[in-house]
Amino acid sequence: MNVRLGIIGVLIFTCSLQSFSQISHPKASPFAIVEQEFGLSKIKVEYSRPAVRGRHVFGPQADGQKGLVPYGRIWRVGANESTKITVSTDMQVKGKHLPKGTYALYAFPEENSWEIAFHTNLSHWGDGRKNYNPNEDLFRIKLSLEKLSDHQENFLIAFDSITHNSAQMELTWANTRLVIPFEVDTHAQMELEISRQIESNPTAQTYYEAARYLREQNRDPKRALQYLNHALRIGGDTYYFHRVKSLVEAALGDYKSAIVSAQKSMELANQQDKDEFVRMNQKNIKLWKTLLKDE
């Protein structure tokens, strides 16, 4: 019995030594996460960043030998695990509908263009050549490449050209860049959010924010004015409520009312030492008085 217990103890001790003796090595292709908000949506990408390290990356080398990423072969868009992309809302990608969710991202590089696959199976390790099933693609898109004069050492995924309704995801490595366009209908999302907030327990700020959005997007000034009037009735006088109201009234061509609202905004802003709002209102009052004379 004692011998058996001794053997078990030695095994446990040996296993413990093995588990504690493992050394964590720095990764040749370090893991990275990039997130980008645009409008009311967000994209998150989890990927690894291989380096060129003097090697030929895309397509055949001058001597005909394969590069790191051969043409026509599936690529994981990075290294190690397959790259994962998560979208917080439904989006459009070059005319294709991308529902909210997480997908594996794969590429099929060619010399002048790539096919990009949004893949529904997230379990593949690496490039998935052995287990990849094209029937599990949500869809593929074909995109042209941009050849760069600058060198990008580590594979990079970044976002640029960001608006309320769109963002471009850039894949850059060595001297090659590919841009994937994402689009969302932020206005439709905002209209749903405005309706939801107004139907629940709206405050003066709720109506003001709804009106300010409509004003900034140059949409439905009559409805924006209704929201502002309601905000003023239930929330009291504020310089920024009157400021936005003046802009909406001017958009409707009612310069007399716009001047009155701007004067009220300027008065309240002056009381709170909001010099910038005083100057903005003064400038608009001068403009609108000129427009009234021209009518």
Side-chain angles (χ1 to χ4, degrees):
M1 183 68 176
N2 290 335
V3 173
R4 182 180 298 175
L5 289 174
I7 293 173
I8 293 173
V10 169
L11 289 173
I12 293 174
F13 179 72
T14 302
C15 291
S16 298
L17 283 177
Q18 289 176 346
S19 63
F20 282 109
S21 64
Q22 293 178 358
I23 298 175
S24 296
H25 292 264
K27 293 181 179 179
S29 301
F31 179 73
I33 297 176
V34 58
E35 294 182 319
Q36 182 61 59
E37 293 182 349
F38 62 107
L40 299 177
S41 302
K42 183 168 74 172
I43 299 176
K44 176 182 178 181
V45 182
E46 301 168 88
Y47 73 114
S48 294
R49 302 188 60 195
V52 175
R53 293 198 292 274
R55 300 171 294 179
H56 184 83
V57 178
F58 296 109
Q61 303 180 56
D63 60 4
Q65 296 296 313
K66 292 180 180 178
L68 288 177
V69 182
Y71 290 149
R73 179 187 291 179
I74 188 172
W75 181 48
R76 74 197 80 181
V77 193
N80 303 325
E81 294 185 51
S82 60
T83 291
K84 306 297 191 302
I85 181 168
T86 301
V87 294
S88 66
T89 63
D90 290 4
M91 299 186 183
Q92 294 288 317
V93 184
K94 204 178 179 185
K96 302 285 189 178
H97 180 64
L98 181 65
K100 171 184 176 181
T102 300
Y103 305 90
L105 201 65
Y106 292 107
F108 296 84
E110 296 292 349
E111 184 175 3
N112 298 311
S113 64
W114 289 8
E115 274 195 313
I116 296 292
F118 288 81
H119 194 69
T120 58
N121 190 330
L122 306 179
S123 65
H124 301 323
W125 172 266
D127 60 20
R129 267 180 282 168
K130 293 182 179 179
N131 299 310
Y132 175 81
N133 181 353
N135 292 328
E136 294 177 318
D137 288 346
L138 180 67
F139 60 77
R140 291 189 188 186
I141 54 173
K142 191 169 185 177
L143 298 164
S144 298
L145 293 177
E146 178 186 357
K147 297 298 183 181
L148 306 176
S149 57
D150 296 334
H151 174 79
Q152 175 64 45
E153 176 63 21
N154 284 86
F155 176 58
L156 175 66
I157 296 179
F159 290 87
D160 202 2
S161 301
I162 299 160
T163 71
H164 288 325
N165 299 300
S166 63
Q168 293 186 347
M169 188 171 82
E170 298 180 349
L171 281 56
T172 309
W173 198 18
N175 66 336
T176 298
R177 175 178 294 151
L178 185 86
V179 177
I180 304 176
F182 291 84
E183 295 182 348
V184 292
D185 190 347
T186 298
H187 179 65
Q189 295 174 8
M190 277 298 300
E191 287 288 8
L192 287 173
E193 179 66 10
I194 288 170
S195 297
R196 186 178 68 84
Q197 292 290 343
I198 288 178
E199 289 172 1
S200 56
N201 188 24
T203 64
Q205 190 70 20
T206 305
Y207 286 103
Y208 164 74
E209 293 290 349
R212 184 168 69 91
Y213 167 75
L214 292 173
R215 207 287 304 174
E216 289 174 349
Q217 300 301 312
N218 295 316
R219 293 176 180 268
D220 204 346
K222 290 184 179 179
R223 178 156 60 106
L225 185 58
Q226 291 174 353
Y227 287 157
L228 286 163
N229 286 332
H230 195 66
L232 287 165
R233 281 196 299 271
I234 66 176
D237 287 342
T238 65
Y239 66 87
Y240 49 92
F241 281 21
H242 285 286
R243 159 76 177 164
V244 174
K245 185 183 178 188
S246 72
L247 297 174
V248 171
E249 288 166 334
L252 289 167
D254 186 358
Y255 298 119
K256 288 183 179 180
S257 296
I259 290 169
V260 172
S261 295
Q263 288 171 335
K264 183 64 175 178
S265 174
M266 185 169 61
E267 175 189 339
L268 294 170
N270 193 48
Q271 292 173 7
Q272 298 182 41
D273 296 325
K274 300 295 183 181
D275 296 337
E276 183 180 357
F277 278 86
V278 171
R279 288 192 296 270
M280 288 190 295
N281 282 305
Q282 287 174 334
K283 181 179 178 181
N284 283 343
I285 289 169
K286 182 179 179 180
L287 171 64
W288 295 332
K289 284 183 176 179
T290 301
L291 292 174
L292 274 176
K293 290 179 182 179
D294 294 339
E295 288 183 347

